[in-house]
Amino acid sequence: MQKTEDRPAGQVAACTPGYATIMVHAEPEAGASARVAAAAQLARDLGARLIGLGAETFDPFPTPDPFSGYAAGEWVALIQEQIAKDLKAAEAAFRRDAAGADVEWRTEQAYPHEALAHHARAADLIVASGRQAGGRARSADPADVVMTAGRPVLIVPEGRRRLRADVIVVAWKNTRECRRALDDALPFLSAATDVIVLAVCKPDAADAAEAEVADVATSLRRHGVPARGQVSPLDSAAVSEEIQRVADAAGADLLVCGAFGHSRLREWVFGGVTDDFIHRPGRFILMSH
């Protein structure tokens, strides 16, 4: 594979509208540090503003034990006091990890994914992590964010602090969600040196897939994107593994895909590929729904 010089994401194709404002949920826990640092580095690379959002709440709980010495109102007051302390600590951690970026801080006592969706009106891109251990009241599940925010969501893999987006793989499927993801990812795609539009399909569908990725690559090239099509015929169901294999072989650190899912009893139900990418990202993933 030809080697290319490292450079910040978004350095070229200045005429392409980019991400002027990025939003990230910030928590006081160490697990949020890499996410905020990655969002801040991206904001610096793109000359964008970074909005840090502190959001936390508590789940409804049964009436406290009448012999514990606390009434329900006192329990709520104690919890709200702790939330206020957590949000203050989250702001300090955000300003530390985002040092050098153009930043803004917001807070809200709400479920984090709901707060991100509510404030998404102010952002072009939301940065999230894979599923966190803090629970819905303290952490933003990326599935909730992707499906409700109406903005592209960049999911940061564990421990990664910088996206270069020099080589990008588009996991192609001819759906509304994937077409939306392509449009949302144009600032990254236009700045890349190599974009692979990849379709993974059954062997008997390879000819149709070849025509689809050729159409997509041609359309992207008209936008100045250095795109090429690729088809992986596959008999097995290991689609996400094949996509990751192609991305590894190309040296891609960004995967673009649509999020395919629906709501069932207030939980999101996804296909296997979408679930793998949302909750177990092996590289940076940009998703749209």
Side-chain angles (χ1 to χ4, degrees), residues 68-125:
S68 66
Y70 290 102
E74 292 175 309
W75 275 105
V76 171
L78 288 170
I79 292 172
Q80 289 179 332
E81 182 180 348
Q82 183 59 53
I83 289 173
K85 290 178 180 177
D86 290 345
L87 294 178
K88 190 170 183 178
E91 179 180 6
F94 168 75
R95 295 190 181 279
R96 178 198 67 217
D97 294 326
D102 174 21
V103 301
E104 175 184 331
W105 177 250
R106 301 183 179 194
T107 60
E108 185 168 336
Q109 184 172 315
Y111 287 104
H113 73 276
E114 292 179 351
L116 283 167
H118 180 70
H119 289 272
R121 63 184 186 271
D124 304 308
L125 177 71

Short mmCIF file of all heavy atoms in Angstrom, two decimals, residues 68-125:
data_model
loop_
_atom_site.label_atom_id
_atom_site.label_comp_id
_atom_site.label_asym_id
_atom_site.label_seq_id
_atom_site.Cartn_x
_atom_site.Cartn_y
_atom_site.Cartn_z
N SER A 68 -35.12 4.97 57.71
CA SER A 68 -33.75 5.35 57.37
C SER A 68 -33.39 6.73 57.88
O SER A 68 -32.22 7.09 57.90
CB SER A 68 -33.56 5.32 55.85
OG SER A 68 -34.36 6.34 55.24
N GLY A 69 -34.38 7.52 58.27
CA GLY A 69 -34.09 8.87 58.74
C GLY A 69 -34.21 9.92 57.66
O GLY A 69 -34.04 11.10 57.93
N TYR A 70 -34.48 9.53 56.42
CA TYR A 70 -34.61 10.48 55.33
C TYR A 70 -36.00 10.36 54.72
O TYR A 70 -36.48 9.27 54.42
CB TYR A 70 -33.58 10.22 54.22
CG TYR A 70 -32.17 10.55 54.62
CD1 TYR A 70 -31.28 9.54 54.97
CD2 TYR A 70 -31.73 11.87 54.64
CE1 TYR A 70 -29.98 9.83 55.33
CE2 TYR A 70 -30.43 12.17 54.99
CZ TYR A 70 -29.55 11.15 55.34
OH TYR A 70 -28.26 11.44 55.68
N ALA A 71 -36.65 11.50 54.46
CA ALA A 71 -37.89 11.55 53.70
C ALA A 71 -37.55 11.58 52.22
O ALA A 71 -36.41 11.83 51.84
CB ALA A 71 -38.70 12.78 54.09
N ALA A 72 -38.55 11.33 51.36
CA ALA A 72 -38.30 11.29 49.92
C ALA A 72 -37.70 12.60 49.42
O ALA A 72 -36.78 12.61 48.60
CB ALA A 72 -39.61 10.99 49.19
N GLY A 73 -38.23 13.72 49.92
CA GLY A 73 -37.70 15.02 49.49
C GLY A 73 -36.25 15.20 49.86
O GLY A 73 -35.47 15.80 49.10
N GLU A 74 -35.86 14.68 51.02
CA GLU A 74 -34.45 14.79 51.43
C GLU A 74 -33.55 13.94 50.54
O GLU A 74 -32.43 14.34 50.21
CB GLU A 74 -34.31 14.38 52.90
CG GLU A 74 -34.98 15.36 53.87
CD GLU A 74 -34.94 14.84 55.30
OE1 GLU A 74 -35.34 13.68 55.51
OE2 GLU A 74 -34.51 15.60 56.18
N TRP A 75 -34.04 12.75 50.15
CA TRP A 75 -33.27 11.90 49.24
C TRP A 75 -33.05 12.62 47.92
O TRP A 75 -31.93 12.64 47.37
CB TRP A 75 -34.01 10.58 48.99
CG TRP A 75 -33.75 9.53 50.03
CD1 TRP A 75 -34.60 9.13 51.02
CD2 TRP A 75 -32.55 8.77 50.19
NE1 TRP A 75 -34.01 8.16 51.80
CE2 TRP A 75 -32.75 7.91 51.30
CE3 TRP A 75 -31.34 8.72 49.51
CZ2 TRP A 75 -31.78 7.02 51.75
CZ3 TRP A 75 -30.37 7.82 49.95
CH2 TRP A 75 -30.60 6.99 51.05
N VAL A 76 -34.09 13.21 47.38
CA VAL A 76 -33.98 13.93 46.11
C VAL A 76 -33.00 15.09 46.23
O VAL A 76 -32.16 15.32 45.35
CB VAL A 76 -35.36 14.43 45.64
CG1 VAL A 76 -35.21 15.38 44.44
CG2 VAL A 76 -36.26 13.26 45.28
N ALA A 77 -33.07 15.81 47.34
CA ALA A 77 -32.16 16.94 47.54
C ALA A 77 -30.71 16.46 47.59
O ALA A 77 -29.81 17.10 47.02
CB ALA A 77 -32.52 17.68 48.82
N LEU A 78 -30.47 15.33 48.27
CA LEU A 78 -29.11 14.80 48.34
C LEU A 78 -28.61 14.38 46.96
O LEU A 78 -27.45 14.63 46.60
CB LEU A 78 -29.08 13.61 49.30
CG LEU A 78 -29.20 13.92 50.79
CD1 LEU A 78 -29.39 12.63 51.59
CD2 LEU A 78 -27.96 14.67 51.29
N ILE A 79 -29.47 13.74 46.18
CA ILE A 79 -29.07 13.30 44.84
C ILE A 79 -28.79 14.50 43.94
O ILE A 79 -27.80 14.53 43.20
CB ILE A 79 -30.16 12.40 44.23
CG1 ILE A 79 -30.23 11.08 45.01
CG2 ILE A 79 -29.88 12.13 42.76
CD1 ILE A 79 -31.40 10.20 44.62
N GLN A 80 -29.64 15.52 44.01
CA GLN A 80 -29.43 16.69 43.19
C GLN A 80 -28.15 17.43 43.58
O GLN A 80 -27.45 17.98 42.72
CB GLN A 80 -30.65 17.62 43.27
CG GLN A 80 -31.87 17.05 42.55
CD GLN A 80 -33.08 17.95 42.64
OE1 GLN A 80 -33.22 18.72 43.59
NE2 GLN A 80 -33.96 17.86 41.65
N GLU A 81 -27.84 17.41 44.86
CA GLU A 81 -26.58 18.02 45.31
C GLU A 81 -25.39 17.27 44.72
O GLU A 81 -24.41 17.88 44.27
CB GLU A 81 -26.52 17.99 46.83
CG GLU A 81 -25.27 18.65 47.40
CD GLU A 81 -25.24 18.60 48.92
OE1 GLU A 81 -26.27 18.27 49.53
OE2 GLU A 81 -24.16 18.88 49.49
N GLN A 82 -25.48 15.94 44.68
CA GLN A 82 -24.40 15.15 44.10
C GLN A 82 -24.29 15.39 42.60
O GLN A 82 -23.18 15.48 42.05
CB GLN A 82 -24.62 13.67 44.37
CG GLN A 82 -23.49 12.77 43.87
CD GLN A 82 -22.16 13.12 44.50
OE1 GLN A 82 -22.04 13.20 45.73
NE2 GLN A 82 -21.14 13.35 43.67
N ILE A 83 -25.43 15.50 41.93
CA ILE A 83 -25.40 15.78 40.49
C ILE A 83 -24.73 17.12 40.22
O ILE A 83 -23.92 17.25 39.28
CB ILE A 83 -26.84 15.75 39.92
CG1 ILE A 83 -27.37 14.31 39.90
CG2 ILE A 83 -26.88 16.35 38.51
CD1 ILE A 83 -28.83 14.20 39.50
N ALA A 84 -25.05 18.12 41.02
CA ALA A 84 -24.41 19.43 40.84
C ALA A 84 -22.90 19.33 41.00
O ALA A 84 -22.14 19.95 40.24
CB ALA A 84 -24.99 20.43 41.84
N LYS A 85 -22.44 18.54 41.96
CA LYS A 85 -21.00 18.34 42.15
C LYS A 85 -20.40 17.61 40.94
O LYS A 85 -19.30 17.95 40.47
CB LYS A 85 -20.73 17.54 43.43
CG LYS A 85 -21.03 18.29 44.71
CD LYS A 85 -20.78 17.40 45.93
CE LYS A 85 -21.08 18.13 47.22
NZ LYS A 85 -20.90 17.24 48.41
N ASP A 86 -21.12 16.60 40.45
CA ASP A 86 -20.63 15.85 39.28
C ASP A 86 -20.50 16.75 38.06
O ASP A 86 -19.52 16.66 37.30
CB ASP A 86 -21.57 14.68 38.96
CG ASP A 86 -21.50 13.58 40.00
OD1 ASP A 86 -20.55 13.57 40.81
OD2 ASP A 86 -22.42 12.73 40.00
N LEU A 87 -21.49 17.61 37.84
CA LEU A 87 -21.46 18.49 36.67
C LEU A 87 -20.33 19.51 36.79
O LEU A 87 -19.69 19.86 35.78
CB LEU A 87 -22.80 19.18 36.50
CG LEU A 87 -23.98 18.27 36.14
CD1 LEU A 87 -25.27 19.06 36.04
CD2 LEU A 87 -23.71 17.51 34.85
N LYS A 88 -20.06 19.96 37.99
CA LYS A 88 -18.94 20.89 38.18
C LYS A 88 -17.62 20.19 37.90
O LYS A 88 -16.71 20.74 37.26
CB LYS A 88 -18.97 21.44 39.61
CG LYS A 88 -18.00 22.59 39.84
CD LYS A 88 -18.25 23.24 41.20
CE LYS A 88 -17.32 24.44 41.40
NZ LYS A 88 -17.57 25.12 42.70
N ALA A 89 -17.50 18.94 38.37
CA ALA A 89 -16.28 18.16 38.10
C ALA A 89 -16.16 17.85 36.61
O ALA A 89 -15.05 17.83 36.05
CB ALA A 89 -16.30 16.87 38.91
N ALA A 90 -17.30 17.60 35.95
CA ALA A 90 -17.27 17.33 34.51
C ALA A 90 -16.78 18.55 33.75
O ALA A 90 -16.02 18.42 32.77
CB ALA A 90 -18.66 16.94 34.03
N GLU A 91 -17.19 19.73 34.15
CA GLU A 91 -16.71 20.95 33.49
C GLU A 91 -15.20 21.10 33.64
O GLU A 91 -14.49 21.43 32.68
CB GLU A 91 -17.41 22.20 34.03
CG GLU A 91 -16.91 23.47 33.36
CD GLU A 91 -17.58 24.73 33.88
OE1 GLU A 91 -18.37 24.64 34.85
OE2 GLU A 91 -17.33 25.81 33.31
N ALA A 92 -14.69 20.85 34.84
CA ALA A 92 -13.25 20.96 35.07
C ALA A 92 -12.49 19.96 34.20
O ALA A 92 -11.46 20.29 33.58
CB ALA A 92 -12.93 20.74 36.54
N ALA A 93 -13.00 18.72 34.11
CA ALA A 93 -12.35 17.70 33.29
C ALA A 93 -12.42 18.07 31.81
O ALA A 93 -11.45 17.88 31.06
CB ALA A 93 -13.00 16.34 33.52
N PHE A 94 -13.56 18.61 31.37
CA PHE A 94 -13.72 19.02 29.98
C PHE A 94 -12.73 20.12 29.62
O PHE A 94 -12.03 20.04 28.59
CB PHE A 94 -15.15 19.51 29.74
CG PHE A 94 -15.34 20.21 28.43
CD1 PHE A 94 -15.40 19.49 27.24
CD2 PHE A 94 -15.48 21.59 28.38
CE1 PHE A 94 -15.56 20.14 26.02
CE2 PHE A 94 -15.65 22.25 27.17
CZ PHE A 94 -15.70 21.53 25.99
N ARG A 95 -12.62 21.13 30.45
CA ARG A 95 -11.72 22.25 30.15
C ARG A 95 -10.25 21.79 30.17
O ARG A 95 -9.42 22.29 29.40
CB ARG A 95 -11.96 23.41 31.11
CG ARG A 95 -13.35 24.02 30.94
CD ARG A 95 -13.52 25.33 31.70
NE ARG A 95 -14.85 25.87 31.55
CZ ARG A 95 -15.27 26.59 30.49
NH1 ARG A 95 -14.41 26.84 29.51
NH2 ARG A 95 -16.50 27.05 30.42
N ARG A 96 -9.94 20.82 31.01
CA ARG A 96 -8.59 20.26 31.02
C ARG A 96 -8.30 19.50 29.74
O ARG A 96 -7.28 19.73 29.08
CB ARG A 96 -8.44 19.34 32.23
CG ARG A 96 -7.07 18.65 32.34
CD ARG A 96 -7.16 17.45 33.27
NE ARG A 96 -8.00 16.39 32.71
CZ ARG A 96 -8.81 15.62 33.43
NH1 ARG A 96 -8.95 15.79 34.72
NH2 ARG A 96 -9.53 14.68 32.82
N ASP A 97 -9.21 18.59 29.35
CA ASP A 97 -8.95 17.72 28.19
C ASP A 97 -9.12 18.45 26.87
O ASP A 97 -8.62 17.98 25.84
CB ASP A 97 -9.89 16.51 28.24
CG ASP A 97 -9.58 15.59 29.41
OD1 ASP A 97 -8.40 15.47 29.78
OD2 ASP A 97 -10.54 15.00 29.96
N ALA A 98 -9.85 19.58 26.87
CA ALA A 98 -10.08 20.34 25.63
C ALA A 98 -9.21 21.58 25.56
O ALA A 98 -9.47 22.48 24.75
CB ALA A 98 -11.55 20.72 25.53
N ALA A 99 -8.17 21.64 26.35
CA ALA A 99 -7.31 22.83 26.38
C ALA A 99 -6.79 23.15 24.98
O ALA A 99 -6.37 22.27 24.24
CB ALA A 99 -6.13 22.59 27.33
N GLY A 100 -6.86 24.44 24.64
CA GLY A 100 -6.38 24.90 23.34
C GLY A 100 -7.44 24.96 22.28
O GLY A 100 -7.21 25.54 21.20
N ALA A 101 -8.61 24.38 22.51
CA ALA A 101 -9.71 24.45 21.55
C ALA A 101 -10.61 25.64 21.91
O ALA A 101 -10.61 26.15 23.03
CB ALA A 101 -10.52 23.16 21.57
N ASP A 102 -11.40 26.08 20.93
CA ASP A 102 -12.41 27.11 21.15
C ASP A 102 -13.62 26.42 21.75
O ASP A 102 -14.33 25.67 21.06
CB ASP A 102 -12.76 27.77 19.81
CG ASP A 102 -13.92 28.76 19.92
OD1 ASP A 102 -14.18 29.25 21.05
OD2 ASP A 102 -14.56 29.03 18.89
N VAL A 103 -13.86 26.63 23.05
CA VAL A 103 -14.84 25.81 23.75
C VAL A 103 -16.00 26.63 24.31
O VAL A 103 -15.90 27.84 24.51
CB VAL A 103 -14.19 25.00 24.90
CG1 VAL A 103 -13.11 24.09 24.36
CG2 VAL A 103 -13.65 25.92 25.98
N GLU A 104 -17.08 25.91 24.57
CA GLU A 104 -18.27 26.44 25.22
C GLU A 104 -18.78 25.34 26.14
O GLU A 104 -18.66 24.15 25.81
CB GLU A 104 -19.32 26.80 24.16
CG GLU A 104 -20.66 27.24 24.69
CD GLU A 104 -21.67 27.48 23.56
OE1 GLU A 104 -21.25 27.84 22.44
OE2 GLU A 104 -22.87 27.27 23.81
N TRP A 105 -19.36 25.69 27.28
CA TRP A 105 -19.83 24.70 28.23
C TRP A 105 -21.32 24.89 28.50
O TRP A 105 -21.79 26.01 28.69
CB TRP A 105 -19.06 24.80 29.55
CG TRP A 105 -19.53 23.85 30.61
CD1 TRP A 105 -20.20 24.16 31.75
CD2 TRP A 105 -19.39 22.42 30.61
NE1 TRP A 105 -20.47 23.03 32.47
CE2 TRP A 105 -19.98 21.94 31.80
CE3 TRP A 105 -18.80 21.51 29.74
CZ2 TRP A 105 -20.03 20.60 32.13
CZ3 TRP A 105 -18.84 20.16 30.05
CH2 TRP A 105 -19.44 19.72 31.24
N ARG A 106 -22.06 23.79 28.50
CA ARG A 106 -23.48 23.80 28.82
C ARG A 106 -23.78 22.67 29.82
O ARG A 106 -23.10 21.65 29.81
CB ARG A 106 -24.34 23.58 27.57
CG ARG A 106 -24.14 24.62 26.49
CD ARG A 106 -25.07 24.38 25.31
NE ARG A 106 -24.89 25.40 24.28
CZ ARG A 106 -25.73 25.60 23.27
NH1 ARG A 106 -26.83 24.85 23.15
NH2 ARG A 106 -25.49 26.54 22.38
N THR A 107 -24.81 22.87 30.63
CA THR A 107 -25.23 21.81 31.55
C THR A 107 -26.73 21.66 31.53
O THR A 107 -27.47 22.60 31.23
CB THR A 107 -24.79 22.10 33.01
OG1 THR A 107 -25.38 23.33 33.44
CG2 THR A 107 -23.29 22.18 33.13
N GLU A 108 -27.17 20.46 31.88
CA GLU A 108 -28.60 20.19 31.98
C GLU A 108 -28.80 18.96 32.85
O GLU A 108 -28.05 17.99 32.72
CB GLU A 108 -29.20 19.95 30.59
CG GLU A 108 -30.71 19.78 30.61
CD GLU A 108 -31.31 19.83 29.21
OE1 GLU A 108 -30.70 20.43 28.31
OE2 GLU A 108 -32.41 19.25 29.04
N GLN A 109 -29.78 19.03 33.75
CA GLN A 109 -30.11 17.84 34.53
C GLN A 109 -31.12 17.05 33.73
O GLN A 109 -32.32 17.33 33.72
CB GLN A 109 -30.68 18.21 35.91
CG GLN A 109 -30.93 16.96 36.76
CD GLN A 109 -31.29 17.27 38.20
OE1 GLN A 109 -30.66 18.12 38.82
NE2 GLN A 109 -32.32 16.60 38.73
N ALA A 110 -30.61 16.04 33.03
CA ALA A 110 -31.43 15.22 32.14
C ALA A 110 -30.64 13.98 31.79
O ALA A 110 -29.44 13.90 32.05
CB ALA A 110 -31.77 16.00 30.86
N TYR A 111 -31.32 13.00 31.19
CA TYR A 111 -30.59 11.86 30.66
C TYR A 111 -29.63 12.37 29.58
O TYR A 111 -30.04 13.18 28.73
CB TYR A 111 -31.55 10.83 30.08
CG TYR A 111 -32.32 10.07 31.13
CD1 TYR A 111 -33.65 10.35 31.38
CD2 TYR A 111 -31.70 9.06 31.87
CE1 TYR A 111 -34.37 9.66 32.35
CE2 TYR A 111 -32.41 8.36 32.84
CZ TYR A 111 -33.73 8.66 33.08
OH TYR A 111 -34.43 7.98 34.05
N PRO A 112 -28.38 11.94 29.59
CA PRO A 112 -27.40 12.50 28.66
C PRO A 112 -27.80 12.40 27.20
O PRO A 112 -27.62 13.35 26.43
CB PRO A 112 -26.14 11.69 28.96
CG PRO A 112 -26.27 11.32 30.40
CD PRO A 112 -27.73 11.07 30.60
N HIS A 113 -28.38 11.24 26.77
CA HIS A 113 -28.74 11.14 25.36
C HIS A 113 -29.87 12.10 25.01
O HIS A 113 -29.90 12.64 23.89
CB HIS A 113 -29.13 9.69 25.00
CG HIS A 113 -30.46 9.25 25.52
ND1 HIS A 113 -30.62 8.76 26.81
CD2 HIS A 113 -31.69 9.23 24.94
CE1 HIS A 113 -31.89 8.44 26.99
NE2 HIS A 113 -32.56 8.72 25.89
N GLU A 114 -30.78 12.35 25.95
CA GLU A 114 -31.86 13.30 25.69
C GLU A 114 -31.32 14.72 25.63
O GLU A 114 -31.75 15.53 24.79
CB GLU A 114 -32.94 13.18 26.76
CG GLU A 114 -33.71 11.86 26.71
CD GLU A 114 -34.76 11.74 27.80
OE1 GLU A 114 -34.78 12.62 28.71
OE2 GLU A 114 -35.55 10.79 27.76
N ALA A 115 -30.36 15.03 26.51
CA ALA A 115 -29.76 16.37 26.48
C ALA A 115 -28.99 16.59 25.18
O ALA A 115 -29.06 17.67 24.59
CB ALA A 115 -28.83 16.54 27.69
N LEU A 116 -28.26 15.56 24.71
CA LEU A 116 -27.54 15.70 23.45
C LEU A 116 -28.51 15.92 22.29
O LEU A 116 -28.26 16.77 21.42
CB LEU A 116 -26.69 14.46 23.19
CG LEU A 116 -25.39 14.37 23.99
CD1 LEU A 116 -24.79 12.96 23.89
CD2 LEU A 116 -24.37 15.41 23.51
N ALA A 117 -29.60 15.18 22.27
CA ALA A 117 -30.58 15.36 21.20
C ALA A 117 -31.21 16.75 21.27
O ALA A 117 -31.43 17.40 20.25
CB ALA A 117 -31.66 14.28 21.29
N HIS A 118 -31.46 17.23 22.49
CA HIS A 118 -32.08 18.55 22.67
C HIS A 118 -31.14 19.66 22.19
O HIS A 118 -31.58 20.61 21.53
CB HIS A 118 -32.44 18.74 24.14
CG HIS A 118 -33.07 20.06 24.45
ND1 HIS A 118 -34.35 20.39 24.03
CD2 HIS A 118 -32.61 21.14 25.13
CE1 HIS A 118 -34.63 21.61 24.44
NE2 HIS A 118 -33.60 22.08 25.11
N HIS A 119 -29.86 19.55 22.52
CA HIS A 119 -28.89 20.59 22.18
C HIS A 119 -28.24 20.38 20.81
O HIS A 119 -27.44 21.20 20.37
CB HIS A 119 -27.81 20.67 23.25
CG HIS A 119 -28.29 21.25 24.54
ND1 HIS A 119 -28.28 22.60 24.82
CD2 HIS A 119 -28.83 20.65 25.64
CE1 HIS A 119 -28.78 22.82 26.03
NE2 HIS A 119 -29.12 21.65 26.55
N ALA A 120 -28.60 19.29 20.13
CA ALA A 120 -28.00 19.01 18.82
C ALA A 120 -28.30 20.11 17.81
O ALA A 120 -27.61 20.23 16.79
CB ALA A 120 -28.50 17.66 18.29
N ARG A 121 -29.30 20.91 18.08
CA ARG A 121 -29.62 22.03 17.20
C ARG A 121 -28.43 22.98 17.03
O ARG A 121 -28.33 23.70 16.04
CB ARG A 121 -30.81 22.81 17.75
CG ARG A 121 -30.52 23.46 19.11
CD ARG A 121 -31.74 24.15 19.71
NE ARG A 121 -31.39 24.88 20.93
CZ ARG A 121 -31.41 24.33 22.14
NH1 ARG A 121 -31.78 23.07 22.27
NH2 ARG A 121 -31.09 25.05 23.20
N ALA A 122 -27.52 22.98 18.01
CA ALA A 122 -26.39 23.91 18.00
C ALA A 122 -25.15 23.33 17.37
O ALA A 122 -24.12 24.01 17.29
CB ALA A 122 -26.07 24.35 19.43
N ALA A 123 -25.19 22.06 16.91
CA ALA A 123 -23.96 21.38 16.47
C ALA A 123 -24.15 20.76 15.09
O ALA A 123 -25.26 20.44 14.67
CB ALA A 123 -23.56 20.31 17.48
N ASP A 124 -23.03 20.59 14.39
CA ASP A 124 -23.00 19.90 13.10
C ASP A 124 -22.61 18.43 13.26
O ASP A 124 -22.90 17.61 12.39
CB ASP A 124 -21.98 20.55 12.16
CG ASP A 124 -22.24 22.03 11.96
OD1 ASP A 124 -23.39 22.38 11.62
OD2 ASP A 124 -21.31 22.84 12.14
N LEU A 125 -21.94 18.11 14.35
CA LEU A 125 -21.40 16.77 14.57
C LEU A 125 -21.39 16.50 16.06
O LEU A 125 -21.02 17.38 16.85
CB LEU A 125 -19.98 16.67 14.00
CG LEU A 125 -19.23 15.36 14.20
CD1 LEU A 125 -19.83 14.25 13.34
CD2 LEU A 125 -17.74 15.54 13.85
#
